[in-house]
Amino acid sequence: KLIYNGTPSNGVCNNTGDTTEIGKSAFNTEQNDAKYIGYMYDNNTVDSTIKSVIETWFATNLLDYQDYLEDTPFYNERDCITGMGFPMACASRLRIWGEREDNYAETVPNTTIRLGATNKEDIFTVSSEIGNGALTYPVGLITSDEVVMAGGRGWINEENPGTNSNYYLYSGSWYWTFSPNSFSIASFMSVIRVGDNGFIGFTHVSSAGGVRPVISLPTRVLYINGNGTGETPYIITK
């Protein structure tokens, strides 16, 4: 998988801050119902606000390059349980923060990672053979578990959280993940984000956060040169 990091300049793409994003967007502009933690809702018939933004960007910039891309799952894991300060806490949240009510991690480092989802309706794909078939294009967002794999974690020291900047998903600007955090009966619908300090947190779905689309390359695509860093990005060919 590749995450958007802005446009290159002189063959270099080591952007930071807002330049790593296609723009700012709410995850959903409404937040008075639990369905709004979903990338789609109403039985996956209605697009979220952020899905519309991502797919408009894709249609404008990558539509002619779909042969270079692979349809891989994006996990909008909406498995949620009762408990804690929130009436319903989602599985992706519990893997990071355990039973805490705030956004400070209970363990250092995070010890549980899951790349999957229990319900097929939460496995977003273009093809219904490998997922829910609800996507128009093979593009989504990074999950909180993938952020953990890269070096992300929740805050550890409540008095001095500091900055977690020594990993490639740190950008200096906060942006959305694909992973639901929690919801209450009618007011607090939240999705996990990567904070501007590099730590994993969560935010109301109606907040305007950074959008960094994610795509996947199939094994048949070759690269001409580069090593995948911002200074020497991959240059690919069929």
Side-chain angles (χ1 to χ4, degrees):
K1 286 186 175 180
L2 303 178
I3 189 169
Y4 184 83
N5 201 58
T7 56
S9 176
N10 297 321
V12 175
C13 195
N14 55 359
N15 299 318
T16 59
D18 293 351
T19 60
T20 64
E21 306 158 0
I22 64 171
K24 305 288 186 182
S25 173
F27 201 89
N28 270 301
T29 54
E30 300 291 334
Q31 62 169 35
N32 59 353
D33 192 290
K35 66 184 181 181
Y36 295 124
I37 63 171
Y39 193 60
M40 297 181 73
Y41 51 90
D42 292 347
N43 295 317
N44 287 343
T45 61
V46 180
D47 290 348
S48 64
T49 304
I50 200 167
K51 181 175 183 289
S52 297
V53 170
I54 289 171
E55 293 198 335
T56 297
W57 170 83
F58 186 98
T60 302
N61 295 277
L62 292 182
L63 192 60
D64 293 337
Y65 300 93
Q66 288 195 79
D67 288 344
Y68 289 85
L69 306 180
E70 186 169 12
D71 181 20
T72 54
F74 295 93
Y75 302 110
N76 184 221
E77 193 179 9
R78 290 172 279 191
D79 294 341
C80 300
I81 65 171
T82 58
M84 308 185 348
F86 305 100
M88 299 293 284
C90 299
S92 47
R93 172 192 170 82
L94 293 173
R95 286 196 294 274
I96 297 173
W97 293 288
E99 296 295 326
R100 293 187 64 104
E101 297 180 16
D102 52 32
N103 59 347
Y104 294 92
E106 290 191 327
T107 59
V108 186
N110 306 94
T111 57
T112 56
I113 293 173
R114 182 185 184 194
L115 301 180
T118 301
N119 300 315
K120 186 175 181 179
E121 65 181 16
D122 295 341
I123 304 173
F124 280 84
T125 56
V126 176
S127 170
S128 59
E129 295 182 1
I130 59 174
N132 60 21
L135 294 182
T136 304
Y137 307 117
V139 60
L141 294 168
I142 200 160
T143 68
S144 58
D145 292 85
E146 290 168 330
V147 176
V148 170
M149 290 179 65
R153 55 179 172 83
W155 292 352
I156 301 302
N157 186 334
E158 189 168 351
E159 299 301 323
N160 182 24
T163 301
N164 184 34
S165 60
N166 193 27
Y167 71 117
Y168 76 93
L169 289 176
Y170 169 77
S171 70
S173 179
W174 84 263
Y175 59 92
W176 293 109
T177 76
F178 212 64
S179 304
N181 178 69
S182 65
F183 62 87
S184 64
I185 300 303
S187 61
F188 195 92
M189 317 302 160
S190 62
V191 170
I192 296 173
R193 59 168 171 77
V194 177
D196 53 9
N197 57 5
F199 288 99
I200 303 171
F202 56 88
T203 301
H204 287 258
V205 296
S206 60
S207 302
V211 184
R212 300 184 69 187
V214 172
I215 58 174
S216 298
L217 298 182
T219 55
R220 67 178 181 276
V221 170
L222 304 176
Y223 75 93
I224 299 173
N225 56 43
N227 59 14
T229 64
E231 291 73 20
T232 313
Y234 291 125
I235 298 177
I236 62 172
T237 184
K238 290 184 179 179

